[in-house]
Amino acid sequence: MCRNEREIDNTFHPEEYLFRRVPTKIWDTPDPMPEADAIELPDISVGRSRYGHPEWTRLDPENDRYFKSWGIIGVKVGLIPPSYQPEGGPAFAYTPSHQPLEQDYPHTEIQAFQGELQLSTKESVPEELHLEWRGLLLSQMEALLQPRERRDIRQQPPTSHVLEPV
Amino acid sequence: MSAILPRVPIVYTQQTNLLLADCDFSRTAEPYRALDALPAQKSRFVNSFHAYRDSADYATDLHPIPTMVAGGYYGSRAPVKHAVEPDDPIELVHRAVKALTALPTTNRRLESASRAHEAATVTIDARLAVFRKAISVLKRFRPVTLASFTAGPVDKWTARLEGFSALKKGWDSYTAAAPSKGALASASEFLDTIRELGKEPSKLNPSVVGGVGFTFRRDRRAVYIEFRNTGNTHAMFTDGVSKPRVVKVRQDRAGYEDILALVETHFHELPTAASPDVP
């Protein structure tokens, strides 16, 4: 869905889903879920159910590509591990941020913060915490479209944040 | 008697082919065969036929393809065979019909063969396209080598790991870095250790954060070992219930043996009280 001068919407319902596509290189049938190697941090690019269906995430409109056999995983906003503070260390917080693109209005990122400072590189989070948080996020995720699962692309945008039946 | 004699069609001139094609030969032939019982009448009929034939505008032979008559291609010197003129008019009719139908039949067969060739070409092209596509997909995933097809349970991991060197930045369609040479080398050493200890991973993938990840899984319990491009290696233990536990892995033979021992221990630990694994 194109942005068409739509406003940024940083209001996320806790039940709203965030979607991410996973290449069949690392997640293929018959595995029910991908492993932690499919989870990125920080600034994880995702779609959102308020403005897009899960199958829309198979589209990469910015680069005019369509990954029709890739699986889609999703997590409810309310289940994203919000913060983490190791013993004696600084607290890290994670939050979704709507970052619409001209050709991809639902585009959102899960960003990481240390205090008020946004962490924009992978190296800015200690590696143990990095992997642990990815594991936590993965444990909250669910498979919404299995790899190679056929799904026609719906033309109408969703009417709410709730996943709509096909 | 003359009343029963059939009127012999004019079959000998090229100009009368259409007339011949319109004839009902079964009706023509039956009365003639009936003459077998009356030799005198038959002889008279045949003589009258010959008389007619000799007086007609005569052009008997139909030579559809000279090279076929010659019996070879490109001017081969086969002896020329001249058709013997049959006395029997029915035989002549048969020959004429055969000659007239031979060309269309040949044409039909040639056309059919031509279509078969086209169909075969299309099929071969389609199969080649599928094969090329399969190769291109395989090449994106790993180099296609003999080992790709013949690898055993351990060697297939080596082939897969080698294939990661072909990945480019953004291979996950987002911004994933390709595994670095260092990460690949460390992963290769770890794979050697796995092989020597007779273990086998459940999965071996490039990691979207840059690096290589091994997964050892048994039911809900899993250990994910990640060789990052930064040069560090960590292992994450999960049981599907409690919070993941991450430990740093020492990158030498002893460190790899230790972590593989921990993997075995993790798989054989009793489930926690909160775990639904408990019966």
Side-chain angles (χ1 to χ4, degrees), chain A residues 45-120:
Chain A
S45 286
V46 288
R48 56 183 295 192
S49 62
R50 176 68 187 85
Y51 296 113
H53 300 289
E55 70 270 14
W56 285 17
T57 316
R58 283 175 167 170
L59 295 163
D60 179 10
E62 291 292 315
N63 298 297
D64 198 21
R65 295 183 293 184
Y66 175 41
F67 306 97
K68 68 177 178 182
S69 59
W70 289 18
I72 304 293
I73 51 175
V75 62
K76 288 179 179 175
V77 170
L79 294 179
I80 297 172
S83 63
Y84 188 75
Q85 184 166 19
E87 287 181 19
F92 295 92
Y94 304 93
T95 181
S97 171
H98 190 205
Q99 303 284 330
L101 304 174
E102 203 50 52
Q103 301 290 326
D104 187 9
Y105 179 63
H107 181 260
T108 300
E109 290 178 354
I110 301 175
Q111 297 176 340
F113 293 86
Q114 184 178 352
E116 295 295 317
L117 178 67
Q118 184 188 346
L119 306 174
S120 54

Coordinates of all heavy atoms in Angstrom, one line a residue, chain A residues 45-120:
Chain A
S45 N 12.8 -4.6 10.5 CA 11.7 -4.2 9.5 C 10.6 -5.1 9.6 O 10.8 -6.4 9.4 CB 12.3 -4.1 8.1 OG 13.1 -2.9 8.0
V46 N 9.4 -4.6 9.8 CA 8.2 -5.5 9.9 C 7.0 -4.8 9.2 O 7.1 -3.6 8.9 CB 7.8 -5.8 11.3 CG1 8.8 -6.7 12.0 CG2 7.7 -4.5 12.1
G47 N 6.0 -5.5 8.9 CA 4.7 -5.0 8.4 C 3.8 -4.9 9.7 O 4.2 -5.4 10.7
R48 N 2.6 -4.3 9.5 CA 1.7 -4.3 10.7 C 0.3 -4.6 10.2 O -0.1 -4.2 9.1 CB 1.8 -2.9 11.4 CG 1.6 -1.7 10.5 CD 1.8 -0.4 11.3 NE 0.8 -0.2 12.3 CZ 0.6 0.9 13.0 NH1 1.4 2.0 12.7 NH2 -0.3 1.0 14.0
S49 N -0.4 -5.3 11.1 CA -1.7 -5.8 10.7 C -2.8 -4.6 10.6 O -3.8 -4.8 10.0 CB -2.2 -6.8 11.7 OG -2.4 -6.3 13.0
R50 N -2.5 -3.5 11.2 CA -3.4 -2.4 11.1 C -3.6 -1.9 9.7 O -4.6 -1.4 9.2 CB -3.0 -1.2 12.0 CG -3.8 0.1 11.9 CD -5.2 -0.2 12.5 NE -6.1 0.9 12.3 CZ -6.9 1.1 11.2 NH1 -6.8 0.2 10.2 NH2 -7.7 2.1 11.0
Y51 N -2.5 -2.0 8.9 CA -2.5 -1.4 7.6 C -2.1 -2.5 6.5 O -1.9 -2.1 5.3 CB -1.5 -0.2 7.5 CG -1.9 0.9 8.3 CD1 -1.2 1.3 9.5 CD2 -3.1 1.6 8.1 CE1 -1.6 2.3 10.3 CE2 -3.5 2.6 8.9 CZ -2.8 3.0 10.0 OH -3.2 4.0 10.8
G52 N -1.9 -3.7 6.9 CA -1.6 -4.7 5.8 C -1.9 -6.1 6.3 O -2.0 -6.4 7.5
H53 N -2.1 -7.0 5.3 CA -2.4 -8.4 5.6 C -1.0 -9.1 5.7 O 0.0 -8.6 5.1 CB -3.2 -9.0 4.5 CG -4.6 -8.3 4.4 ND1 -5.6 -8.4 5.3 CD2 -5.0 -7.5 3.4 CE1 -6.6 -7.7 4.9 NE2 -6.3 -7.2 3.8
P54 N -1.0 -10.3 6.3 CA 0.3 -11.0 6.4 C 0.9 -11.2 5.1 O 2.1 -11.1 4.9 CB -0.1 -12.3 7.1 CG -1.4 -12.0 7.8 CD -2.1 -11.0 7.1
E55 N 0.1 -11.6 4.1 CA 0.7 -11.9 2.8 C 1.3 -10.7 2.1 O 2.1 -10.9 1.2 CB -0.3 -12.6 1.9 CG -1.5 -11.8 1.4 CD -2.7 -11.8 2.3 OE1 -2.5 -12.2 3.5 OE2 -3.8 -11.3 1.9
W56 N 0.9 -9.5 2.5 CA 1.5 -8.3 1.9 C 2.9 -8.2 2.2 O 3.7 -7.6 1.5 CB 0.7 -7.1 2.4 CG -0.6 -6.9 1.8 CD1 -1.4 -7.8 1.2 CD2 -1.4 -5.7 1.9 NE1 -2.6 -7.2 0.8 CE2 -2.6 -5.9 1.2 CE3 -1.2 -4.4 2.4 CZ2 -3.6 -5.0 1.1 CZ3 -2.2 -3.4 2.2 CH2 -3.4 -3.7 1.6
T57 N 3.3 -8.9 3.3 CA 4.7 -8.8 3.7 C 5.6 -9.6 2.7 O 6.8 -9.4 2.7 CB 4.9 -9.4 5.1 OG1 3.8 -8.8 5.9 CG2 6.2 -9.0 5.7
R58 N 5.0 -10.5 1.9 CA 5.8 -11.2 0.9 C 6.2 -10.2 -0.2 O 7.0 -10.6 -1.1 CB 5.0 -12.3 0.4 CG 5.0 -13.5 1.3 CD 4.1 -14.6 0.7 NE 4.3 -15.9 1.5 CZ 3.5 -17.0 1.3 NH1 2.5 -16.9 0.5 NH2 3.8 -18.1 2.0
L59 N 5.5 -9.1 -0.2 CA 5.9 -8.1 -1.3 C 7.0 -7.2 -0.8 O 7.0 -6.8 0.4 CB 4.6 -7.3 -1.6 CG 3.5 -8.0 -2.3 CD1 2.2 -7.1 -2.2 CD2 3.8 -8.2 -3.7
D60 N 7.8 -6.8 -1.7 CA 8.9 -5.8 -1.4 C 8.7 -4.7 -2.4 O 9.3 -4.6 -3.4 CB 10.3 -6.4 -1.5 CG 11.3 -5.4 -1.3 OD1 11.0 -4.3 -0.8 OD2 12.5 -5.7 -1.5
P61 N 7.7 -3.8 -2.2 CA 7.3 -2.8 -3.2 C 8.4 -1.9 -3.5 O 8.5 -1.3 -4.6 CB 6.1 -2.1 -2.6 CG 6.1 -2.4 -1.2 CD 6.8 -3.7 -1.0
E62 N 9.3 -1.6 -2.6 CA 10.4 -0.6 -2.8 C 11.3 -1.2 -3.9 O 11.9 -0.4 -4.6 CB 11.1 -0.4 -1.5 CG 10.3 0.4 -0.5 CD 10.1 1.8 -0.9 OE1 11.0 2.5 -1.4 OE2 8.9 2.3 -0.8
N63 N 11.5 -2.5 -3.9 CA 12.4 -3.1 -4.9 C 11.7 -3.9 -5.9 O 12.3 -4.6 -6.7 CB 13.4 -3.9 -4.2 CG 14.3 -3.1 -3.3 OD1 15.0 -2.2 -3.7 ND2 14.2 -3.4 -2.0
D64 N 10.3 -3.8 -5.9 CA 9.5 -4.5 -6.9 C 9.8 -6.0 -6.9 O 10.0 -6.6 -8.0 CB 9.7 -3.9 -8.3 CG 8.6 -4.2 -9.2 OD1 7.5 -4.5 -8.8 OD2 8.8 -4.2 -10.5
R65 N 9.7 -6.6 -5.8 CA 9.9 -8.0 -5.7 C 8.8 -8.7 -4.9 O 8.1 -8.0 -4.1 CB 11.2 -8.3 -4.9 CG 12.5 -7.8 -5.7 CD 13.7 -8.2 -4.9 NE 13.9 -7.5 -3.7 CZ 14.9 -7.6 -2.9 NH1 16.0 -8.4 -3.2 NH2 15.0 -7.0 -1.7
Y66 N 8.6 -10.0 -5.2 CA 7.5 -10.7 -4.6 C 8.1 -12.1 -4.2 O 8.5 -12.8 -5.0 CB 6.3 -10.8 -5.5 CG 5.2 -11.7 -5.0 CD1 4.8 -11.7 -3.6 CD2 4.5 -12.6 -5.8 CE1 3.8 -12.4 -3.2 CE2 3.5 -13.4 -5.3 CZ 3.1 -13.3 -4.0 OH 2.1 -14.1 -3.6
F67 N 8.1 -12.4 -2.9 CA 8.6 -13.6 -2.4 C 7.5 -14.6 -2.0 O 7.1 -14.7 -0.9 CB 9.5 -13.4 -1.2 CG 10.6 -12.3 -1.4 CD1 10.4 -11.0 -1.1 CD2 11.8 -12.7 -2.1 CE1 11.4 -10.1 -1.3 CE2 12.7 -11.8 -2.3 CZ 12.6 -10.5 -2.0
K68 N 6.9 -15.2 -3.1 CA 5.6 -15.9 -2.9 C 5.7 -17.1 -2.1 O 4.7 -17.7 -1.6 CB 5.0 -16.1 -4.2 CG 5.7 -17.2 -5.1 CD 4.9 -17.4 -6.3 CE 5.6 -18.4 -7.2 NZ 4.9 -18.6 -8.5
S69 N 7.0 -17.7 -1.9 CA 7.1 -18.9 -1.2 C 7.6 -18.7 0.2 O 7.8 -19.7 1.0 CB 8.0 -19.9 -2.0 OG 9.2 -19.4 -2.2
W70 N 8.0 -17.5 0.6 CA 8.6 -17.3 1.9 C 7.5 -17.3 3.0 O 6.4 -16.9 2.8 CB 9.3 -15.9 1.9 CG 10.5 -15.9 1.1 CD1 10.9 -16.8 0.1 CD2 11.6 -14.9 1.2 NE1 12.1 -16.4 -0.4 CE2 12.6 -15.3 0.2 CE3 11.8 -13.8 1.9 CZ2 13.7 -14.6 0.0 CZ3 13.0 -13.1 1.7 CH2 13.9 -13.5 0.8
G71 N 7.9 -17.8 4.1 CA 7.0 -17.9 5.3 C 6.9 -16.5 5.9 O 7.8 -15.6 5.8
I72 N 5.9 -16.3 6.7 CA 5.7 -15.1 7.4 C 5.5 -15.4 8.9 O 4.6 -16.2 9.3 CB 4.4 -14.3 6.9 CG1 4.5 -14.1 5.4 CG2 4.2 -13.0 7.7 CD1 5.6 -13.1 5.0
I73 N 6.3 -14.7 9.7 CA 6.1 -14.9 11.2 C 5.5 -13.6 11.7 O 5.7 -12.5 11.1 CB 7.4 -15.3 11.9 CG1 8.5 -14.4 11.5 CG2 7.7 -16.7 11.6 CD1 9.8 -14.6 12.3
G74 N 4.9 -13.6 12.9 CA 4.3 -12.4 13.4 C 4.4 -12.4 14.9 O 4.5 -13.5 15.6
V75 N 4.3 -11.3 15.5 CA 4.3 -11.1 17.0 C 3.3 -10.0 17.3 O 3.2 -9.0 16.6 CB 5.7 -10.9 17.5 CG1 6.2 -9.5 17.0 CG2 5.7 -10.9 19.1
K76 N 2.5 -10.3 18.4 CA 1.6 -9.2 18.9 C 2.5 -8.1 19.5 O 3.4 -8.4 20.3 CB 0.6 -9.8 19.8 CG -0.4 -10.6 19.1 CD -1.4 -11.2 20.2 CE -2.5 -12.0 19.5 NZ -3.4 -12.7 20.4
V77 N 2.1 -6.9 19.3 CA 2.9 -5.8 19.9 C 3.0 -5.9 21.4 O 4.1 -5.7 22.0 CB 2.2 -4.4 19.5 CG1 2.8 -3.3 20.3 CG2 2.3 -4.2 18.0
G78 N 1.9 -6.4 22.0 CA 1.9 -6.5 23.5 C 2.9 -7.6 24.0 O 3.2 -7.6 25.2
L79 N 3.3 -8.5 23.1 CA 4.2 -9.6 23.5 C 5.7 -9.3 23.2 O 6.6 -10.1 23.5 CB 3.8 -10.9 22.8 CG 2.4 -11.4 23.2 CD1 2.1 -12.7 22.5 CD2 2.4 -11.7 24.7
I80 N 6.0 -8.1 22.6 CA 7.4 -7.8 22.4 C 8.1 -7.6 23.7 O 7.6 -6.8 24.5 CB 7.5 -6.5 21.5 CG1 6.9 -6.8 20.1 CG2 9.0 -6.1 21.3 CD1 6.8 -5.5 19.3
P81 N 9.2 -8.2 24.0 CA 9.8 -8.0 25.3 C 10.2 -6.5 25.4 O 11.0 -6.0 24.6 CB 11.1 -8.9 25.2 CG 10.8 -9.9 24.1 CD 9.8 -9.3 23.2
P82 N 9.6 -5.8 26.3 CA 9.7 -4.3 26.2 C 11.1 -3.8 26.7 O 11.5 -2.8 26.2 CB 8.6 -3.8 27.2 CG 8.3 -5.0 28.1 CD 8.7 -6.2 27.4
S83 N 11.6 -4.4 27.7 CA 12.9 -3.9 28.2 C 13.7 -5.1 28.8 O 13.1 -6.1 29.1 CB 12.7 -2.8 29.2 OG 12.0 -3.4 30.3
Y84 N 14.9 -4.8 28.9 CA 15.8 -5.8 29.5 C 17.0 -5.1 30.2 O 17.6 -4.3 29.6 CB 16.3 -6.8 28.4 CG 17.0 -8.0 29.0 CD1 16.3 -9.0 29.7 CD2 18.4 -8.0 29.0 CE1 17.0 -10.1 30.2 CE2 19.1 -9.1 29.6 CZ 18.4 -10.1 30.2 OH 19.0 -11.2 30.7
Q85 N 17.2 -5.5 31.4 CA 18.3 -4.9 32.1 C 19.2 -6.0 32.8 O 18.7 -6.7 33.8 CB 17.8 -4.0 33.2 CG 19.0 -3.2 33.9 CD 18.5 -2.0 34.7 OE1 17.3 -1.9 35.0 NE2 19.4 -1.1 35.1
P86 N 20.3 -6.3 32.3 CA 21.2 -7.3 32.9 C 21.7 -6.8 34.3 O 21.7 -5.6 34.5 CB 22.3 -7.5 31.9 CG 22.4 -6.2 31.2 CD 21.0 -5.6 31.1
E87 N 22.1 -7.7 35.1 CA 22.6 -7.3 36.4 C 23.7 -6.4 36.3 O 24.7 -6.7 35.7 CB 23.0 -8.6 37.2 CG 21.8 -9.4 37.7 CD 22.3 -10.6 38.5 OE1 23.4 -10.6 39.0 OE2 21.5 -11.6 38.6
G88 N 23.6 -5.2 36.9 CA 24.7 -4.2 37.0 C 24.9 -3.5 35.6 O 25.8 -2.8 35.5
G89 N 24.0 -3.7 34.7 CA 24.2 -3.1 33.4 C 23.0 -2.1 33.0 O 22.1 -2.0 33.8
P90 N 23.2 -1.5 31.9 CA 22.1 -0.5 31.5 C 20.9 -1.2 31.0 O 20.9 -2.4 30.6 CB 22.8 0.3 30.4 CG 23.8 -0.7 29.8 CD 24.3 -1.5 30.9
A91 N 19.8 -0.5 31.1 CA 18.5 -1.1 30.6 C 18.4 -0.8 29.1 O 18.7 0.2 28.6 CB 17.4 -0.4 31.4
F92 N 17.9 -1.8 28.5 CA 17.6 -1.7 27.0 C 16.1 -1.8 26.8 O 15.4 -2.6 27.5 CB 18.3 -2.8 26.2 CG 19.8 -2.7 26.3 CD1 20.5 -3.3 27.2 CD2 20.5 -1.9 25.3 CE1 21.9 -3.2 27.3 CE2 21.8 -1.8 25.4 CZ 22.6 -2.4 26.3
A93 N 15.6 -0.9 26.0 CA 14.1 -1.0 25.7 C 13.9 -1.2 24.2 O 14.7 -0.7 23.4 CB 13.5 0.4 26.2
Y94 N 12.8 -1.8 24.0 CA 12.4 -2.1 22.6 C 11.0 -1.7 22.3 O 10.1 -2.0 23.1 CB 12.6 -3.6 22.3 CG 14.0 -4.2 22.7 CD1 14.2 -4.7 23.9 CD2 15.0 -4.1 21.8 CE1 15.5 -5.1 24.3 CE2 16.3 -4.5 22.1 CZ 16.5 -5.0 23.4 OH 17.7 -5.5 23.7
T95 N 10.8 -1.0 21.2 CA 9.5 -0.5 20.9 C 9.3 -0.4 19.4 O 10.2 -0.1 18.7 CB 9.3 0.9 21.6 OG1 8.0 1.4 21.3 CG2 10.3 1.9 21.0
P96 N 8.0 -0.6 19.0 CA 7.8 -0.5 17.5 C 7.6 1.0 17.1 O 7.2 1.8 17.9 CB 6.4 -1.2 17.3 CG 5.8 -1.2 18.7 CD 6.9 -1.1 19.7
S97 N 8.0 1.3 15.9 CA 7.9 2.6 15.4 C 7.5 2.6 14.0 O 8.1 1.9 13.2 CB 9.3 3.3 15.6 OG 9.3 4.6 14.9
H98 N 6.4 3.3 13.7 CA 5.9 3.3 12.3 C 6.8 4.1 11.4 O 7.1 5.3 11.7 CB 4.5 3.9 12.3 CG 3.8 3.8 11.0 ND1 2.8 4.6 10.6 CD2 3.9 2.9 10.0 CE1 2.3 4.2 9.4 NE2 3.0 3.2 9.1
Q99 N 7.4 3.5 10.4 CA 8.3 4.2 9.5 C 7.8 4.0 8.1 O 8.4 3.2 7.3 CB 9.7 3.6 9.7 CG 10.3 3.6 11.1 CD 10.8 5.0 11.4 OE1 11.2 5.8 10.5 NE2 10.8 5.4 12.7
P100 N 6.8 4.6 7.7 CA 6.2 4.4 6.4 C 7.1 4.8 5.3 O 7.9 5.8 5.4 CB 4.9 5.3 6.4 CG 5.2 6.3 7.4 CD 6.0 5.7 8.4
L101 N 7.1 3.9 4.2 CA 7.9 4.2 3.0 C 6.9 4.6 1.9 O 5.7 4.4 2.0 CB 8.7 3.0 2.6 CG 9.6 2.4 3.6 CD1 10.2 1.0 3.1 CD2 10.7 3.3 4.0
E102 N 7.4 5.3 0.9 CA 6.5 5.8 -0.1 C 5.7 4.7 -0.8 O 4.5 4.9 -1.0 CB 7.4 6.5 -1.2 CG 6.6 7.6 -2.0 CD 5.8 8.5 -1.1 OE1 6.4 9.1 -0.1 OE2 4.6 8.7 -1.3
Q103 N 6.4 3.5 -1.0 CA 5.7 2.4 -1.6 C 5.1 1.4 -0.6 O 4.6 0.4 -1.0 CB 6.6 1.7 -2.6 CG 7.1 2.6 -3.7 CD 6.1 3.0 -4.7 OE1 5.1 2.2 -5.0 NE2 6.1 4.2 -5.2
D104 N 5.4 1.6 0.7 CA 5.1 0.6 1.7 C 4.7 1.3 3.0 O 5.5 1.5 3.9 CB 6.3 -0.3 1.9 CG 6.0 -1.4 2.8 OD1 4.9 -1.7 3.1 OD2 7.0 -2.1 3.2
Y105 N 3.4 1.7 3.0 CA 2.9 2.5 4.1 C 2.9 1.7 5.4 O 3.3 2.3 6.5 CB 1.5 3.0 3.8 CG 0.9 3.8 5.0 CD1 1.5 5.0 5.4 CD2 -0.2 3.4 5.6 CE1 1.0 5.7 6.4 CE2 -0.8 4.1 6.7 CZ -0.2 5.3 7.1 OH -0.7 6.0 8.1
P106 N 2.6 0.4 5.5 CA 2.6 -0.3 6.7 C 4.0 -0.5 7.4 O 4.1 -0.9 8.5 CB 2.1 -1.7 6.4 CG 1.4 -1.5 5.1 CD 2.2 -0.5 4.4
H107 N 5.1 -0.2 6.6 CA 6.4 -0.5 7.1 C 6.7 0.1 8.5 O 6.4 1.3 8.8 CB 7.5 0.1 6.1 CG 8.9 -0.2 6.6 ND1 9.7 0.7 7.2 CD2 9.6 -1.4 6.5 CE1 10.9 0.2 7.4 NE2 10.9 -1.1 7.0
T108 N 7.2 -0.8 9.4 CA 7.4 -0.5 10.8 C 8.7 -1.0 11.2 O 9.2 -2.0 10.6 CB 6.2 -1.0 11.7 OG1 5.0 -0.5 11.2 CG2 6.4 -0.7 13.1
E109 N 9.3 -0.5 12.2 CA 10.6 -1.0 12.7 C 10.5 -1.3 14.2 O 9.9 -0.5 14.9 CB 11.8 -0.1 12.5 CG 12.1 0.0 11.0 CD 13.3 1.0 10.8 OE1 13.7 1.7 11.7 OE2 13.7 1.1 9.6
I110 N 11.1 -2.4 14.7 CA 11.2 -2.5 16.1 C 12.6 -2.0 16.5 O 13.6 -2.5 16.1 CB 11.1 -4.0 16.6 CG1 9.7 -4.6 16.1 CG2 11.2 -4.2 18.1 CD1 9.6 -6.1 16.4
Q111 N 12.6 -0.9 17.2 CA 13.8 -0.2 17.5 C 14.3 -0.5 19.0 O 13.5 -0.8 19.8 CB 13.6 1.3 17.3 CG 13.3 1.6 15.8 CD 13.0 3.1 15.6 OE1 12.7 3.8 16.6 NE2 13.1 3.5 14.4
A112 N 15.6 -0.3 19.2 CA 16.2 -0.6 20.5 C 16.7 0.8 21.0 O 17.2 1.6 20.3 CB 17.3 -1.6 20.4
F113 N 16.5 0.9 22.3 CA 16.9 2.2 23.0 C 17.7 1.8 24.2 O 17.4 0.8 24.9 CB 15.7 3.0 23.4 CG 14.9 3.6 22.2 CD1 14.0 2.8 21.5 CD2 15.2 4.8 21.7 CE1 13.3 3.3 20.4 CE2 14.6 5.3 20.6 CZ 13.6 4.6 19.9
Q114 N 18.7 2.7 24.5 CA 19.4 2.6 25.8 C 19.1 4.0 26.4 O 19.7 4.9 26.0 CB 20.8 2.3 25.6 CG 21.6 2.2 26.9 CD 23.1 1.8 26.7 OE1 23.5 1.6 25.6 NE2 23.8 1.9 27.8
G115 N 18.2 4.0 27.4 CA 17.7 5.3 27.9 C 17.0 6.0 26.8 O 16.1 5.4 26.1
E116 N 17.4 7.2 26.5 CA 16.8 8.0 25.4 C 17.5 7.7 24.1 O 17.0 8.2 23.0 CB 16.8 9.5 25.7 CG 16.0 9.9 26.9 CD 14.5 9.6 26.7 OE1 14.0 10.0 25.6 OE2 13.9 9.1 27.6
L117 N 18.6 7.1 24.1 CA 19.5 6.9 22.9 C 19.0 5.7 22.1 O 18.9 4.6 22.6 CB 20.9 6.7 23.3 CG 21.9 6.5 22.2 CD1 22.1 7.8 21.4 CD2 23.3 6.1 22.8
Q118 N 18.7 6.0 20.8 CA 18.4 4.9 19.9 C 19.6 4.2 19.5 O 20.6 4.8 19.0 CB 17.6 5.4 18.7 CG 17.1 4.3 17.8 CD 16.5 4.8 16.5 OE1 16.2 5.9 16.4 NE2 16.3 3.8 15.6
L119 N 19.6 2.9 19.6 CA 20.7 2.0 19.2 C 20.5 1.6 17.7 O 19.5 0.9 17.4 CB 20.9 0.8 20.1 CG 20.9 1.2 21.6 CD1 20.9 -0.1 22.4 CD2 22.2 2.0 21.8
S120 N 21.3 2.0 16.8 CA 21.0 1.8 15.4 C 21.9 0.7 14.8 O 21.6 0.3 13.7 CB 21.2 3.1 14.6 OG 22.5 3.6 14.8

